[in-house]
Amino acid sequence: MLPAFIGGLPGGPELLVILLIAVLLFGANKIPKLARSSGEALGEFQKGREEVEQELQEMREGKAKPESEPAE
């Protein structure tokens, strides 16, 4: 018999077990707060990733601004 996680994401029964463990560890009241903060963190990460990709694209196109001019 193969472990549940080989070949993809966990299915219905596995998700129920994971949810039950999460409720036992964090308590039912903290789950929504935890999900909200995880979503906000993921959104911030995605914004940062998009900014870096945009800067890299500008550098490839030669539009990057010099950070500072050399002092004379």
Side-chain angles (χ1 to χ4, degrees):
M1 186 171 190
L2 294 173
F5 290 105
I6 289 183
L9 297 174
E14 292 88 3
L15 287 176
L16 287 175
V17 170
I18 292 169
L19 182 61
L20 177 65
I21 291 171
V23 169
L24 290 174
L25 287 175
F26 300 110
N29 295 334
K30 291 187 180 181
I31 297 285
K33 292 177 186 176
L34 183 63
R36 187 177 306 116
S37 65
S38 297
E40 289 173 357
L42 187 61
E44 289 295 320
F45 175 77
Q46 200 155 8
K47 284 180 190 177
R49 184 181 57 94
E50 289 172 0
E51 288 176 4
V52 169
E53 286 178 353
Q54 183 179 5
E55 289 178 15
L56 287 173
Q57 185 64 30
E58 288 175 358
M59 289 175 72
R60 285 186 200 121
E61 294 173 356
K63 295 180 183 176
K65 299 177 187 174
E67 290 186 25
S68 63
E69 302 266 336
E72 293 182 22

